Amino acid sequence: MDNLKKWVMSNLSTLLLTVLFIIILVNPDAKAWLMRQVASTGILNSSISESVEKPGNTVAYTGLMLKNEDGTIIDPSDLKNKVVFINFWASWCPPCRAEFPSIEKLYNRYKTHPNIIFLTINLDDNPDLGKAYLKEKGFTVPFITPAGSIPGEIYNGSLPTTVVLDKKGEIRLHHTGVADYSKDSFYQQIDSLLK
């Protein structure tokens, strides 16, 4: 018994790190917390790019078929002349969970602004899981689901994916992976698009 106590005491830090690693492996909220800590440093963030005038540039939301929580189809013409923040997510996705608090903060900051629209598009196989996740966490972002195919130029199958369109409908940010959208630097970029 004394040998066991000595071994435990001499390996306590290794045991604690092993337990922490196991918790992170099996608990999606623990994974999300760890990813949120990394994302909060800003090293994973992308920046909104400058507009590049190209001949034949198409509007990115053309062909985007979505419906809101009550099943009403969102008219793409409602997106014209607006800055559009699009986030593709799923409740089972730890990186999505990690960045969602920052998206909620961004949404709360701009939700009353008349020239920005938030399309937080849930891609759970069962949309009820996404609704339950938002309710459990107290998130108030719009619950949007696809009502048809999603154009490949805005979503390629990786979660999470965030796209920001300017008022002309041009893609100004296309980011795959976790990021922190609650930074002042990102707010400034959104503000510049809204001007």
Side-chain angles (χ1 to χ4, degrees), residues 26-42:
V26 299
N27 185 321
D29 286 331
K31 285 181 204 174
W33 177 85
L34 181 62
M35 289 177 187
R36 192 166 28 258
Q37 301 318 303
V38 172
S40 70
T41 65

Side-chain angles (χ1 to χ4, degrees), residues 10 18 20 24 37 39 51 54 67 76 102 113 124 134 142 169 177 182:
S10 65
T18 302
L20 180 63
I24 289 171
Q37 301 318 303
S51 180
K54 293 185 241 177
K67 59 184 175 181
S102 73
H113 197 290
D124 278 300
L134 293 182
S182 64

